[in-house]
Amino acid sequence: MPTFELTPAMMREIIMDHYSSPRHKLTPENDGYASLHSSSVNCIDDIDVYLKFGDDGKVVDACWNGTACAISTASSDIICDLIIGMDEKQAHYLIDQYHKMMHEEPYDASVLEEALAFMNTSKQAARIHCATIGWDAIEEILKEHHHE
Amino acid sequence: MAYDVWKIRQDFPMIRNGKQMQGHPLVFLDNASTTFKPDCVIETMDTYYRDETSNSHRGDYDLCYQADKRIESARRTVAKFLNAEENEVVFTSGTTDSINLIAYGYALKHLKPGDEILLSKAEHASNVLPWFRICELTGARVNYVPLVDDRLTVESLKASMNEHVRIVALAYVGNVLGYVAPIKEMAKVVHSYGAVFAVDGAQAVPHMKIDVKDLDCDFLSFSGHKMCGPTGIGVLYGKYDILCKTDPFLTGGGMNVKFFPNGEAQYLLPPMRFEAGTLNIAGIYGLEAAVKYLQSIGMDAINEHEKELKQYAVKALKATDMVEIYNEDSEAGIVTFNVKGVFAQDAATLLNSKGIACRSGQHCAKILPEVLGTVATVRASFYLYTSKEDIDALVEAVKQGGDFLDAYF
């Protein structure tokens, strides 16, 4: 668990920060990225996610672009932040813990960092898909990359 | 008699029973999507299942005979409601089913390469995609009547008409912006080119008096659940001579006279030709109950009430200085807006956290954003039981738009 308690004000600040100035919201200009399009029939979110892998299999860059609400913007941006530098196993572990948090199951908070700002998303169940759209897309890319 | 919204609200268990959402009394402002059911509709359907269960036109016993009579009666009730003839009312599963029946039953039979189908960019997916399919299958093409200040006008229709146009398919009331199209005048233009006018009435029939003879449209589609009726039942009105030129979209029991091993089949006349399989009997009874309920209040009175709510909501929302409204001057009880600086979906989540049900997004009209210049909006839509207090709750919630993430903490 985190060593300090995350207050609603801190969670708001994290989400608003990544919503108003996302670090990884861009379409990569050069090749070498694996990408996946993700959209939802339930809402307006419609994004592309891009991952670049190094020779050692680690994620060397992650970014996303598209139309998205505050929750999907911030959550997609945060996973890009977290996943850069991770190997496949670490990335899957991170995503698993996040999904557990979304669905109110016990989870390992030590790896989630800023993603903990979404710990109460289950209160707005209709928005869980916004908080996971980027995460699910990245998980899919990881799976596809594994098979290549 | 004065319109008594508080008395009307007592007829609806979803309101009367104090339904809560997110710990707040439910404020339901998504009536363009679906509507609550009054006791009379629920009880009518319940009685069919508890006390009157039987199939229709399938047996010689009393219960079955009574079901046949009830279905005839329901068809008569709906016909009268529309000022149509009984044999012009086809029971379908809803507007989508009705429009697909026009597309696959009429258009597929009569259209050929080079023919044109005219739509608008404000149409709901269900009045666009069937036509795309018909174009794929026949070689016809789709074109759009331009919107003038978000409205359909007789002039813009005239300018779009040409001798290739075979079908004009437009909504009577748009589901996003709520502008009422001048259907009667448009029908004259469409007919002067010998084309067929298919009107999507999903957002119109529940809210205003309809007279298909006066409108002179060739088809009119609508759903029961948007007018206090059950889900899974709707109507296709079609002029009888045009229904006679329409093929069945579904074939099977209940729609044929006889058939032979050599593949020859004779179908019943309209409307039963289009009602293959066991009917949605409870749905038909429920629809009849809903129509009678709306008639008991009066379609003009309902329409007036919604207009008043619309003006009230526009005024109150504007006074907050926190919203952008996209359809201030439209006639229907629909307000389409955005809270300034807040993405539509985030605004709808904030409203949910206050117990307010609104829809966000593109409202199934996915080609409209290029007209509106915004990817998504919040839509609040009203009905006969909506009160000014419901709108006050919306306005109060909107005032907190800047704190929209509160919904999550």
Side-chain angles (χ1 to χ4, degrees):
Chain A
M1 293 302 286
T3 50
F4 55 89
E5 196 176 341
L6 216 51
T7 65
M10 291 157 78
M11 294 194 261
R12 171 194 303 278
E13 201 173 313
I14 292 167
I15 294 172
M16 284 311 287
D17 179 35
H18 281 273
Y19 176 45
S20 48
S21 46
R23 284 62 142 173
H24 305 280
K25 189 180 179 190
L26 54 104
T27 306
E29 283 172 10
N30 45 6
D31 301 337
Y33 283 79
S35 75
L36 192 75
H37 179 79
S38 186
S39 61
S40 163
V41 291
N42 300 315
C43 69
I44 209 82
D45 297 331
D46 189 332
I47 67 171
D48 288 291
V49 176
Y50 307 91
L51 280 191
K52 188 173 190 174
F53 295 93
D55 294 336
D56 56 0
K58 284 187 178 171
V59 177
V60 294
D61 194 21
C63 49
W64 70 280
N65 214 342
T67 303
C69 66
I71 297 301
S72 47
T73 295
S75 64
S76 301
D77 208 56
I78 287 171
I79 188 181
C80 289
D81 245 5
L82 295 179
I83 206 168
I84 294 172
M86 285 189 175
D87 62 27
E88 197 184 312
K89 197 176 159 196
Q90 290 168 316
H92 277 301
Y93 185 75
L94 168 73
I95 294 168
D96 279 349
Q97 299 317 304
Y98 186 75
H99 279 132
K100 285 181 172 152
M101 179 177 80
M102 281 294 131
H103 298 287
E104 297 179 274
E105 294 164 24
Y107 61 97
D108 174 3
S110 68
V111 294
L112 288 174
E113 302 193 25
E114 284 192 319
L116 288 169
F118 298 100
M119 63 168 68
N120 293 330
T121 305
S122 53
K123 278 168 71 174
Q124 297 295 333
R127 289 282 95 92
I128 288 176
H129 62 91
C130 301
T132 54
I133 184 169
W135 292 67
D136 290 342
I138 282 182
E139 191 175 27
E140 277 306 306
I141 298 177
L142 287 168
K143 280 182 195 161
E144 281 173 27
H145 180 72
H146 181 83
H147 292 301
E148 275 166 15
Chain B
M1 200 176 65
Y3 193 90
D4 188 348
V5 72
W6 295 101
K7 184 167 171 285
I8 290 169
R9 287 168 78 86
Q10 290 308 308
D11 297 332
F12 292 83
M14 282 291 289
I15 300 174
R16 186 180 65 224
N17 296 344
K19 175 77 184 168
Q20 299 240 323
M21 193 165 77
Q22 297 261 321
H24 295 271
L26 173 63
V27 174
F28 189 76
L29 298 177
D30 195 18
N31 294 286
S33 180
T34 198
T35 57
F36 292 162
K37 319 307 168 200
D39 293 310
C40 60
V41 168
I42 299 166
E43 282 159 15
T44 299
M45 296 177 70
D46 199 48
T47 303
Y48 167 71
Y49 285 124
R50 287 181 185 282
D51 199 41
E52 299 166 353
T53 297
S54 155
N55 211 326
S56 60
H57 51 67
R58 295 287 203 288
D60 300 312
Y61 49 94
D62 284 358
L63 275 177
C64 178
Y65 176 77
Q66 284 151 10
D68 282 343
K69 288 284 148 198
R70 276 293 290 281
I71 290 164
E72 274 176 37
S73 146
R75 210 186 294 277
R76 229 172 5 250
T77 301
V78 173
K80 218 173 140 197
F81 182 61
L82 304 172
N83 193 27
E85 301 303 320
E86 268 172 66
N87 58 10
E88 296 175 324
V89 172
V90 181
F91 290 120
T92 65
S93 73
T95 306
T96 301
D97 192 22
S98 299
I99 296 174
N100 275 279
L101 171 52
I102 308 169
Y104 290 92
Y106 182 85
L108 188 58
K109 184 182 169 82
H110 297 285
L111 265 58
K112 53 186 193 309
D115 284 346
E116 205 171 297
I117 300 166
L118 267 185
L119 312 174
S120 89
K121 286 190 178 166
E123 298 308 312
H124 188 282
S126 59
N127 200 26
V128 177
L129 297 182
W131 304 116
F132 284 3
R133 281 289 290 148
I134 293 306
C135 288
E136 276 178 53
L137 295 169
T138 63
R141 60 176 185 262
V142 159
N143 217 334
Y144 299 95
V145 183
L147 300 172
V148 182
D149 296 330
D150 301 331
R151 277 179 190 276
L152 283 166
T153 67
V154 178
E155 288 66 35
S156 60
L157 173 66
K158 270 184 192 160
S160 308
M161 289 301 292
N162 62 68
E163 72 275 17
H164 300 293
V165 176
R166 304 312 315 142
I167 291 178
V168 178
L170 297 170
Y172 197 158
V173 176
N175 77 306
V176 181
L177 298 174
Y179 289 101
V180 178
I183 295 299
K184 185 177 172 177
E185 290 71 28
M186 289 178 138
K188 290 178 191 150
V189 177
V190 174
H191 292 150
S192 73
Y193 283 82
V196 160
F197 195 16
V199 176
D200 171 359
Q203 301 293 343
V205 177
H207 304 282
M208 58 207 274
K209 197 170 217 161
I210 300 288
D211 180 336
V212 289
K213 288 201 169 68
D214 182 55
L215 292 173
D216 200 29
C217 56
D218 300 298
F219 289 111
L220 178 75
S221 306
F222 60 96
S223 299
H225 73 97
K226 290 187 198 290
M227 49 188 284
C228 298
T231 55
I233 188 73
V235 168
L236 174 65
Y237 156 80
K239 279 182 186 162
Y240 191 72
D241 62 319
I242 294 178
L243 287 180
C244 289
K245 294 177 198 158
T246 303
D247 279 347
F249 174 37
L250 297 172
T251 50
M255 55 74 70
N256 69 77
V257 182
K258 48 188 167 183
F259 51 93
F260 306 95
N262 66 1
E264 201 184 301
Q266 286 175 12
Y267 301 139
L268 290 168
L269 291 171
M272 287 168 75
R273 176 188 294 176
F274 308 108
E275 296 174 346
T278 292
L279 292 169
N280 178 358
I281 300 172
I284 291 171
Y285 292 8
L287 177 65
E288 181 182 34
V291 167
K292 285 182 169 170
Y293 177 77
L294 294 177
Q295 283 174 323
S296 76
I297 290 159
M299 295 311 293
D300 288 338
I302 292 169
N303 193 258
E304 270 311 304
H305 175 68
E306 292 174 16
K307 280 199 168 117
E308 204 181 311
L309 291 173
K310 167 73 182 272
Q311 285 165 7
Y312 182 81
V314 166
K315 197 174 162 202
L317 284 169
K318 274 175 87 173
T320 66
D321 204 28
M322 292 187 66
V323 296
E324 183 172 357
I325 300 177
Y326 298 94
N327 63 340
E328 217 175 285
D329 60 339
S330 77
E331 296 85 355
I334 296 176
V335 185
T336 302
F337 65 98
N338 268 318
V339 181
K340 289 177 188 168
V342 183
F343 194 72
Q345 207 160 285
D346 297 320
T349 301
L350 169 78
L351 296 176
N352 177 55
S353 75
K354 310 278 178 198
I356 302 167
C358 277
R359 180 85 181 267
S360 80
Q362 296 164 335
H363 320 292
C364 296
K366 297 199 176 183
I367 42 187
L368 186 63
E370 63 178 89
V371 180
L372 283 187
T374 178
V375 289
T377 55
V378 182
R379 180 184 71 184
S381 49
F382 316 136
Y383 206 16
L384 74 162
Y385 42 67
T386 307
S387 69
K388 286 184 176 166
E389 286 71 10
D390 289 337
I391 291 165
D392 292 342
L394 171 70
V395 173
E396 278 311 304
V398 160
K399 284 182 184 166
Q400 295 177 26
D403 304 323
F404 67 92
L405 286 178
D406 277 354
Y408 294 92
F409 306 125

